[in-house]
PDB file of all heavy atoms in Angstrom:
ATOM      1  N   ASN A   1      80.895  79.260  97.391  1.00 98.00           N
ATOM      2  CA  ASN A   1      80.245  80.485  97.927  1.00 98.00           C
ATOM      3  C   ASN A   1      81.342  81.454  98.406  1.00 98.00           C
ATOM      4  O   ASN A   1      81.312  81.976  99.527  1.00 98.00           O
ATOM      5  CB  ASN A   1      79.282  80.162  99.023  1.00 98.00           C
ATOM      6  CG  ASN A   1      78.475  81.346  99.482  1.00 98.00           C
ATOM      7  OD1 ASN A   1      78.162  82.267  98.650  1.00 98.00           O
ATOM      8  ND2 ASN A   1      78.118  81.442 100.719  1.00 98.00           N
ATOM      9  N   GLY A   2      82.269  81.734  97.528  1.00 98.00           N
ATOM     10  CA  GLY A   2      83.419  82.541  97.884  1.00 98.00           C
ATOM     11  C   GLY A   2      83.518  83.843  97.191  1.00 98.00           C
ATOM     12  O   GLY A   2      82.771  84.198  96.292  1.00 98.00           O
ATOM     13  N   GLU A   3      84.420  84.693  97.707  1.00 98.00           N
ATOM     14  CA  GLU A   3      84.836  85.961  97.065  1.00 98.00           C
ATOM     15  C   GLU A   3      86.310  85.957  96.920  1.00 98.00           C
ATOM     16  O   GLU A   3      87.064  85.371  97.734  1.00 98.00           O
ATOM     17  CB  GLU A   3      84.290  87.140  97.919  1.00 98.00           C
ATOM     18  CG  GLU A   3      82.813  87.234  97.985  1.00 98.00           C
ATOM     19  CD  GLU A   3      82.349  88.451  98.764  1.00 98.00           C
ATOM     20  OE1 GLU A   3      83.137  89.325  99.044  1.00 98.00           O
ATOM     21  OE2 GLU A   3      81.111  88.490  98.995  1.00 98.00           O
ATOM     22  N   VAL A   4      86.827  86.666  95.886  1.00 98.00           N
ATOM     23  CA  VAL A   4      88.279  86.675  95.568  1.00 98.00           C
ATOM     24  C   VAL A   4      88.946  87.885  96.131  1.00 98.00           C
ATOM     25  O   VAL A   4      88.432  89.017  96.006  1.00 98.00           O
ATOM     26  CB  VAL A   4      88.464  86.558  94.048  1.00 98.00           C
ATOM     27  CG1 VAL A   4      89.910  86.626  93.718  1.00 98.00           C
ATOM     28  CG2 VAL A   4      87.842  85.279  93.514  1.00 98.00           C
ATOM     29  N   ILE A   5      90.092  87.655  96.744  1.00 98.00           N
ATOM     30  CA  ILE A   5      90.982  88.780  97.169  1.00 98.00           C
ATOM     31  C   ILE A   5      92.225  88.691  96.305  1.00 98.00           C
ATOM     32  O   ILE A   5      92.916  87.694  96.301  1.00 98.00           O
ATOM     33  CB  ILE A   5      91.348  88.639  98.668  1.00 98.00           C
ATOM     34  CG1 ILE A   5      90.119  88.682  99.531  1.00 98.00           C
ATOM     35  CG2 ILE A   5      92.276  89.765  99.077  1.00 98.00           C
ATOM     36  CD1 ILE A   5      90.335  88.314 100.976  1.00 98.00           C
ATOM     37  N   SER A   6      92.487  89.698  95.506  1.00 98.00           N
ATOM     38  CA  SER A   6      93.674  89.706  94.678  1.00 98.00           C
ATOM     39  C   SER A   6      94.926  89.781  95.532  1.00 98.00           C
ATOM     40  O   SER A   6      95.039  90.503  96.513  1.00 98.00           O
ATOM     41  CB  SER A   6      93.620  90.886  93.715  1.00 98.00           C
ATOM     42  OG  SER A   6      94.858  91.077  92.998  1.00 98.00           O
ATOM     43  N   ALA A   7      95.943  89.019  95.092  1.00 98.00           N
ATOM     44  CA  ALA A   7      97.294  89.080  95.684  1.00 98.00           C
ATOM     45  C   ALA A   7      98.299  89.401  94.553  1.00 98.00           C
ATOM     46  O   ALA A   7      99.185  88.603  94.285  1.00 98.00           O
ATOM     47  CB  ALA A   7      97.644  87.787  96.365  1.00 98.00           C
ATOM     48  N   ASP A   8      98.091  90.551  93.933  1.00 97.00           N
ATOM     49  CA  ASP A   8      98.914  90.968  92.807  1.00 97.00           C
ATOM     50  C   ASP A   8      99.302  92.401  93.011  1.00 97.00           C
ATOM     51  O   ASP A   8      98.464  93.257  93.167  1.00 97.00           O
ATOM     52  CB  ASP A   8      98.148  90.778  91.477  1.00 97.00           C
ATOM     53  CG  ASP A   8      99.025  91.054  90.285  1.00 97.00           C
ATOM     54  OD1 ASP A   8      99.485  92.223  90.089  1.00 97.00           O
ATOM     55  OD2 ASP A   8      99.305  90.106  89.543  1.00 97.00           O
ATOM     56  N   SER A   9     100.609  92.630  92.994  1.00 96.00           N
ATOM     57  CA  SER A   9     101.066  93.994  93.350  1.00 96.00           C
ATOM     58  C   SER A   9     100.757  95.023  92.265  1.00 96.00           C
ATOM     59  O   SER A   9     100.980  96.231  92.572  1.00 96.00           O
ATOM     60  CB  SER A   9     102.645  93.950  93.540  1.00 96.00           C
ATOM     61  OG  SER A   9     103.279  93.589  92.359  1.00 96.00           O
ATOM     62  N   ARG A  10     100.284  94.690  91.116  1.00 97.00           N
ATOM     63  CA  ARG A  10      99.944  95.637  90.083  1.00 97.00           C
ATOM     64  C   ARG A  10      98.463  95.813  89.900  1.00 97.00           C
ATOM     65  O   ARG A  10      97.986  96.851  89.402  1.00 97.00           O
ATOM     66  CB  ARG A  10     100.597  95.237  88.751  1.00 97.00           C
ATOM     67  CG  ARG A  10     102.123  95.538  88.716  1.00 97.00           C
ATOM     68  CD  ARG A  10     102.402  96.983  88.971  1.00 97.00           C
ATOM     69  NE  ARG A  10     103.770  97.369  88.968  1.00 97.00           N
ATOM     70  CZ  ARG A  10     104.461  97.583  90.055  1.00 97.00           C
ATOM     71  NH1 ARG A  10     103.917  97.375  91.238  1.00 97.00           N
ATOM     72  NH2 ARG A  10     105.706  97.990  89.977  1.00 97.00           N
ATOM     73  N   LEU A  11      97.675  94.876  90.296  1.00 98.00           N
ATOM     74  CA  LEU A  11      96.216  95.008  90.166  1.00 98.00           C
ATOM     75  C   LEU A  11      95.632  96.078  91.129  1.00 98.00           C
ATOM     76  O   LEU A  11      94.539  96.542  90.915  1.00 98.00           O
ATOM     77  CB  LEU A  11      95.530  93.674  90.430  1.00 98.00           C
ATOM     78  CG  LEU A  11      95.786  92.499  89.459  1.00 98.00           C
ATOM     79  CD1 LEU A  11      94.791  91.444  89.668  1.00 98.00           C
ATOM     80  CD2 LEU A  11      95.754  93.018  87.988  1.00 98.00           C
ATOM     81  N   VAL A  12      96.408  96.469  92.109  1.00 98.00           N
ATOM     82  CA  VAL A  12      95.879  97.470  93.034  1.00 98.00           C
ATOM     83  C   VAL A  12      95.796  98.850  92.378  1.00 98.00           C
ATOM     84  O   VAL A  12      95.072  99.720  92.771  1.00 98.00           O
ATOM     85  CB  VAL A  12      96.801  97.606  94.282  1.00 98.00           C
ATOM     86  CG1 VAL A  12      96.812  96.324  95.086  1.00 98.00           C
ATOM     87  CG2 VAL A  12      98.224  98.056  93.956  1.00 98.00           C
ATOM     88  N   TYR A  13      96.534  99.054  91.235  1.00 98.00           N
ATOM     89  CA  TYR A  13      96.660 100.395  90.652  1.00 98.00           C
ATOM     90  C   TYR A  13      95.586 100.643  89.611  1.00 98.00           C
ATOM     91  O   TYR A  13      95.378  99.846  88.689  1.00 98.00           O
ATOM     92  CB  TYR A  13      98.051 100.546  90.055  1.00 98.00           C
ATOM     93  CG  TYR A  13      99.158 100.611  91.075  1.00 98.00           C
ATOM     94  CD1 TYR A  13     100.132  99.661  91.082  1.00 98.00           C
ATOM     95  CD2 TYR A  13      99.150 101.625  92.023  1.00 98.00           C
ATOM     96  CE1 TYR A  13     101.128  99.706  92.050  1.00 98.00           C
ATOM     97  CE2 TYR A  13     100.129 101.637  93.035  1.00 98.00           C
ATOM     98  CZ  TYR A  13     101.133 100.709  93.035  1.00 98.00           C
ATOM     99  OH  TYR A  13     102.141 100.757  94.005  1.00 98.00           O
ATOM    100  N   LYS A  14      94.914 101.737  89.741  1.00 98.00           N
ATOM    101  CA  LYS A  14      93.894 102.167  88.790  1.00 98.00           C
ATOM    102  C   LYS A  14      94.506 102.414  87.388  1.00 98.00           C
ATOM    103  O   LYS A  14      95.549 103.121  87.369  1.00 98.00           O
ATOM    104  CB  LYS A  14      93.181 103.417  89.291  1.00 98.00           C
ATOM    105  CG  LYS A  14      92.400 103.173  90.618  1.00 98.00           C
ATOM    106  CD  LYS A  14      91.814 104.478  91.136  1.00 98.00           C
ATOM    107  CE  LYS A  14      91.119 104.279  92.460  1.00 98.00           C
ATOM    108  NZ  LYS A  14      90.506 105.521  92.967  1.00 98.00           N
ATOM    109  N   GLY A  15      93.980 101.877  86.371  1.00 98.00           N
ATOM    110  CA  GLY A  15      94.430 102.145  85.026  1.00 98.00           C
ATOM    111  C   GLY A  15      95.453 101.165  84.552  1.00 98.00           C
ATOM    112  O   GLY A  15      95.711 101.040  83.321  1.00 98.00           O
ATOM    113  N   PHE A  16      96.041 100.350  85.431  1.00 98.00           N
ATOM    114  CA  PHE A  16      96.992  99.299  84.986  1.00 98.00           C
ATOM    115  C   PHE A  16      96.120  98.063  84.640  1.00 98.00           C
ATOM    116  O   PHE A  16      96.076  97.107  85.475  1.00 98.00           O
ATOM    117  CB  PHE A  16      97.981  98.963  86.177  1.00 98.00           C
ATOM    118  CG  PHE A  16      99.060  99.983  86.324  1.00 98.00           C
ATOM    119  CD1 PHE A  16      98.918 101.297  85.926  1.00 98.00           C
ATOM    120  CD2 PHE A  16     100.240  99.658  86.992  1.00 98.00           C
ATOM    121  CE1 PHE A  16      99.933 102.235  86.077  1.00 98.00           C
ATOM    122  CE2 PHE A  16     101.267 100.595  87.217  1.00 98.00           C
ATOM    123  CZ  PHE A  16     101.107 101.855  86.738  1.00 98.00           C
ATOM    124  N   ASP A  17      95.551  98.082  83.491  1.00 98.00           N
ATOM    125  CA  ASP A  17      94.588  97.069  83.095  1.00 98.00           C
ATOM    126  C   ASP A  17      95.105  95.968  82.211  1.00 98.00           C
ATOM    127  O   ASP A  17      95.212  94.797  82.622  1.00 98.00           O
ATOM    128  CB  ASP A  17      93.381  97.736  82.464  1.00 98.00           C
ATOM    129  CG  ASP A  17      92.718  98.764  83.361  1.00 98.00           C
ATOM    130  OD1 ASP A  17      92.830  98.615  84.581  1.00 98.00           O
ATOM    131  OD2 ASP A  17      92.042  99.664  82.840  1.00 98.00           O
ATOM    132  N   ILE A  18      95.557  96.357  81.022  1.00 98.00           N
ATOM    133  CA  ILE A  18      95.964  95.323  80.051  1.00 98.00           C
ATOM    134  C   ILE A  18      97.284  94.708  80.441  1.00 98.00           C
ATOM    135  O   ILE A  18      97.418  93.476  80.355  1.00 98.00           O
ATOM    136  CB  ILE A  18      95.965  95.944  78.597  1.00 98.00           C
ATOM    137  CG1 ILE A  18      94.609  96.415  78.241  1.00 98.00           C
ATOM    138  CG2 ILE A  18      96.479  94.927  77.607  1.00 98.00           C
ATOM    139  CD1 ILE A  18      94.529  97.208  76.885  1.00 98.00           C
ATOM    140  N   ALA A  19      98.272  95.526  80.736  1.00 98.00           N
ATOM    141  CA  ALA A  19      99.562  94.936  81.054  1.00 98.00           C
ATOM    142  C   ALA A  19      99.606  94.076  82.257  1.00 98.00           C
ATOM    143  O   ALA A  19     100.374  93.104  82.331  1.00 98.00           O
ATOM    144  CB  ALA A  19     100.580  96.092  81.249  1.00 98.00           C
ATOM    145  N   SER A  20      98.693  94.283  83.201  1.00 97.00           N
ATOM    146  CA  SER A  20      98.610  93.448  84.406  1.00 97.00           C
ATOM    147  C   SER A  20      97.669  92.260  84.250  1.00 97.00           C
ATOM    148  O   SER A  20      97.522  91.475  85.172  1.00 97.00           O
ATOM    149  CB  SER A  20      98.133  94.322  85.546  1.00 97.00           C
ATOM    150  OG  SER A  20      96.819  94.730  85.437  1.00 97.00           O
ATOM    151  N   ALA A  21      97.018  92.172  83.067  1.00 97.00           N
ATOM    152  CA  ALA A  21      96.000  91.122  82.844  1.00 97.00           C
ATOM    153  C   ALA A  21      94.891  91.199  83.904  1.00 97.00           C
ATOM    154  O   ALA A  21      94.402  90.193  84.379  1.00 97.00           O
ATOM    155  CB  ALA A  21      96.642  89.749  82.861  1.00 97.00           C
ATOM    156  N   LYS A  22      94.521  92.421  84.201  1.00 98.00           N
ATOM    157  CA  LYS A  22      93.463  92.648  85.199  1.00 98.00           C
ATOM    158  C   LYS A  22      92.102  92.110  84.709  1.00 98.00           C
ATOM    159  O   LYS A  22      91.717  92.476  83.591  1.00 98.00           O
ATOM    160  CB  LYS A  22      93.335  94.115  85.526  1.00 98.00           C
ATOM    161  CG  LYS A  22      92.347  94.512  86.661  1.00 98.00           C
ATOM    162  CD  LYS A  22      92.305  95.987  86.789  1.00 98.00           C
ATOM    163  CE  LYS A  22      93.646  96.503  87.323  1.00 98.00           C
ATOM    164  NZ  LYS A  22      93.641  98.005  87.418  1.00 98.00           N
ATOM    165  N   PRO A  23      91.474  91.255  85.376  1.00 97.00           N
ATOM    166  CA  PRO A  23      90.196  90.748  84.955  1.00 97.00           C
ATOM    167  C   PRO A  23      89.035  91.784  84.896  1.00 97.00           C
ATOM    168  O   PRO A  23      88.915  92.522  85.897  1.00 97.00           O
ATOM    169  CB  PRO A  23      89.764  89.630  85.910  1.00 97.00           C
ATOM    170  CG  PRO A  23      90.513  89.977  87.169  1.00 97.00           C
ATOM    171  CD  PRO A  23      91.801  90.654  86.705  1.00 97.00           C
ATOM    172  N   ASP A  24      88.387  91.977  83.753  1.00 96.00           N
ATOM    173  CA  ASP A  24      87.359  92.948  83.698  1.00 96.00           C
ATOM    174  C   ASP A  24      86.064  92.388  84.297  1.00 96.00           C
ATOM    175  O   ASP A  24      86.078  91.224  84.752  1.00 96.00           O
ATOM    176  CB  ASP A  24      87.090  93.403  82.231  1.00 96.00           C
ATOM    177  CG  ASP A  24      86.696  92.242  81.323  1.00 96.00           C
ATOM    178  OD1 ASP A  24      86.136  91.240  81.789  1.00 96.00           O
ATOM    179  OD2 ASP A  24      86.996  92.374  80.054  1.00 96.00           O
ATOM    180  N   MET A  25      85.013  93.218  84.368  1.00 96.00           N
ATOM    181  CA  MET A  25      83.828  92.721  85.053  1.00 96.00           C
ATOM    182  C   MET A  25      83.208  91.549  84.419  1.00 96.00           C
ATOM    183  O   MET A  25      82.655  90.595  85.108  1.00 96.00           O
ATOM    184  CB  MET A  25      82.796  93.889  85.062  1.00 96.00           C
ATOM    185  CG  MET A  25      83.279  95.124  85.778  1.00 96.00           C
ATOM    186  SD  MET A  25      83.899  94.769  87.483  1.00 96.00           S
ATOM    187  CE  MET A  25      82.381  94.211  88.267  1.00 96.00           C
ATOM    188  N   GLU A  26      83.296  91.385  83.072  1.00 96.00           N
ATOM    189  CA  GLU A  26      82.792  90.227  82.419  1.00 96.00           C
ATOM    190  C   GLU A  26      83.542  88.954  82.833  1.00 96.00           C
ATOM    191  O   GLU A  26      82.985  87.873  83.089  1.00 96.00           O
ATOM    192  CB  GLU A  26      82.794  90.379  80.893  1.00 96.00           C
ATOM    193  CG  GLU A  26      82.253  89.180  80.121  1.00 96.00           C
ATOM    194  CD  GLU A  26      82.284  89.404  78.628  1.00 96.00           C
ATOM    195  OE1 GLU A  26      82.617  90.558  78.203  1.00 96.00           O
ATOM    196  OE2 GLU A  26      81.953  88.468  77.882  1.00 96.00           O
ATOM    197  N   GLU A  27      84.874  89.082  82.852  1.00 96.00           N
ATOM    198  CA  GLU A  27      85.718  87.976  83.206  1.00 96.00           C
ATOM    199  C   GLU A  27      85.514  87.502  84.667  1.00 96.00           C
ATOM    200  O   GLU A  27      85.690  86.363  85.057  1.00 96.00           O
ATOM    201  CB  GLU A  27      87.186  88.318  83.005  1.00 96.00           C
ATOM    202  CG  GLU A  27      87.567  88.443  81.524  1.00 96.00           C
ATOM    203  CD  GLU A  27      88.966  88.982  81.364  1.00 96.00           C
ATOM    204  OE1 GLU A  27      89.304  90.016  81.995  1.00 96.00           O
ATOM    205  OE2 GLU A  27      89.728  88.373  80.581  1.00 96.00           O
ATOM    206  N   ARG A  28      85.066  88.477  85.544  1.00 98.00           N
ATOM    207  CA  ARG A  28      84.888  88.152  86.924  1.00 98.00           C
ATOM    208  C   ARG A  28      83.577  87.297  87.129  1.00 98.00           C
ATOM    209  O   ARG A  28      83.353  86.746  88.225  1.00 98.00           O
ATOM    210  CB  ARG A  28      84.878  89.399  87.790  1.00 98.00           C
ATOM    211  CG  ARG A  28      86.167  90.178  87.752  1.00 98.00           C
ATOM    212  CD  ARG A  28      86.149  91.464  88.556  1.00 98.00           C
ATOM    213  NE  ARG A  28      87.148  92.404  88.077  1.00 98.00           N
ATOM    214  CZ  ARG A  28      87.315  93.595  88.572  1.00 98.00           C
ATOM    215  NH1 ARG A  28      86.611  94.026  89.622  1.00 98.00           N
ATOM    216  NH2 ARG A  28      88.240  94.390  88.112  1.00 98.00           N
ATOM    217  N   GLU A  29      82.743  87.309  86.159  1.00 97.00           N
ATOM    218  CA  GLU A  29      81.551  86.449  86.187  1.00 97.00           C
ATOM    219  C   GLU A  29      80.653  86.684  87.427  1.00 97.00           C
ATOM    220  O   GLU A  29      80.058  85.722  87.939  1.00 97.00           O
ATOM    221  CB  GLU A  29      81.911  84.969  86.032  1.00 97.00           C
ATOM    222  CG  GLU A  29      82.643  84.631  84.714  1.00 97.00           C
ATOM    223  CD  GLU A  29      82.968  83.185  84.605  1.00 97.00           C
ATOM    224  OE1 GLU A  29      82.139  82.323  85.062  1.00 97.00           O
ATOM    225  OE2 GLU A  29      83.998  82.780  83.975  1.00 97.00           O
ATOM    226  N   GLY A  30      80.549  87.877  87.874  1.00 97.00           N
ATOM    227  CA  GLY A  30      79.713  88.221  88.961  1.00 97.00           C
ATOM    228  C   GLY A  30      80.292  87.932  90.342  1.00 97.00           C
ATOM    229  O   GLY A  30      79.605  88.180  91.374  1.00 97.00           O
TER     230      GLY A  30
END
């Protein structure tokens, strides 16, 4: 029953999606 807090210095940036392997909404599985 948890929620995830990212600890990645590039995931904070808007638009840095593919290169940072940022999980999209589908990958986050709700």
Side-chain angles (χ1 to χ4, degrees):
N1 187 31
E3 296 184 9
V4 176
I5 300 171
S6 170
D8 188 294
S9 64
R10 285 301 179 259
L11 295 193
V12 298
Y13 293 118
K14 298 176 182 179
F16 284 22
D17 299 335
I18 297 174
S20 69
K22 184 181 294 176
D24 59 26
M25 298 308 295
E26 182 178 353
E27 291 171 310
R28 298 178 203 180
E29 298 184 33

